[in-house]
Amino acid sequence: MSYSIIGFGEVGQALARAFARMGMEVAVASRRPPTALAPQARAIGPTIIPGTLQEALQADVIFLAVPFREHATVASVLANWQGKTIIDATNAYGVPVEELGGLQSSAVVAKAFAGAKFVKGFNHLPAGLLAADPNVEGGRRVVFLASDDDSVVPLAATLAERLGFAPVWLGKLAEGGALVEARGRTWAPLIFQDLVKAN
Ligand SMILES: NC(=O)c1ccc[n+]([C@@H]2O[C@H](COP(=O)([O-])OP(=O)(O)OC[C@H]3O[C@@H](n4cnc5c(N)ncnc54)[C@H](OP(=O)(O)O)[C@@H]3O)[C@@H](O)[C@H]2O)c1
């Protein structure tokens, strides 16, 4: 299984730190060339591999850590997302609901990556907390996951665990998933809740 992170800003680097902590390889990419990302990637750890967007999109599991509106540009790079898993860590805070055509923001992103297995997750924590060691006071920091595709649950939950987090499955995007989304200028109730699951 190969992994990548698209977007190497606050959230992309926070996720990269989680991979580095576990010695897991992950490709990272943004609109800038790999050489521009290399110093920061090196600073995080040797398993963080800067690449082009095209290279990073070869991965089986792809974290999306770009500004919400940029998801469409990333989605347009590949004609076919079959066989890929997208983990969407974006938040649509401040995006007018009218712009989303009546859909939840996660549904908008899922639609753009049609054919992929789509998971909303790793988006509820401020980047600083996401970057921190998830081993907290004898427990593990919780990340929320939601998807309309039950078949992706084991993969996403296992990955969250391998990265040191305690995954909490919230069910479908329109059900539990709605608890971890921004809508217009409001945040759903689980956003920013820094929860730790006792081992
Ligand atoms: N910051 C937080 O605490 C936080 C917490 C949870 C969720 N989020 C969400 O996570 C997402 C990322 O937030 P952030 O704070 O990490 O933003 P950020 O620091 O501005 O980083 C965004 C990254 O995306 C890259 N990017 C932008 N457009 C791109 C494109 N079309 N293709 C590839 N890469 C692109 C940028 O790099 P280039 O300019 O080099 O392309 C940059 O590395 C947002 O949706 C945000 O709402 C943020």
Side-chain angles (χ1 to χ4, degrees), residues 38-51:
Q40 188 53 20
R42 253 194 315 271
I44 295 175
T47 61
I48 310 308
I49 314 295

Side-chain angles (χ1 to χ4, degrees), residues 68-185:
F68 175 77
R69 287 189 176 97
E70 292 297 324
H71 76 269
T73 309
V74 177
S76 68
V77 176
L78 293 190
N80 182 0
W81 291 94
Q82 213 81 38
K84 306 275 187 199
T85 297
I86 300 290
I87 302 182
D88 173 21
T90 69
N91 280 321
Y93 184 80
V95 176
V97 287
E98 308 81 59
E99 198 178 310
L100 305 179
L103 296 175
Q104 259 177 265
S105 60
S106 56
V108 170
V109 182
K111 203 169 152 194
F113 290 89
K117 290 182 179 295
F118 179 87
V119 179
K120 182 79 195 177
F122 291 82
N123 64 301
H124 86 286
L125 291 170
L129 279 177
L130 188 63
D133 189 338
N135 275 301
V136 185
E137 293 164 12
R140 286 172 303 139
R141 179 165 282 123
V142 166
V143 289
F144 297 112
L145 302 171
S147 179
D148 288 342
D149 183 348
D150 287 344
S151 73
V152 78
V153 177
L155 182 156
T158 302
L159 175 58
E161 280 173 354
R162 279 189 72 194
L163 293 174
F165 294 91
V168 173
W169 194 262
L170 295 175
K172 304 264 189 267
L173 298 176
E175 296 167 3
L179 298 172
V180 283
E181 286 204 19
R183 188 172 161 77
R185 295 210 164 267

Side-chain angles (χ1 to χ4, degrees), residues 16-43:
R17 282 184 197 285
F19 277 86
R21 200 176 291 116
M22 297 302 173
M24 287 169 65
E25 198 166 285
V26 66
V28 295
S30 79
R31 293 170 297 191
R32 284 172 293 154
T35 47
L37 309 183
Q40 188 53 20
R42 253 194 315 271

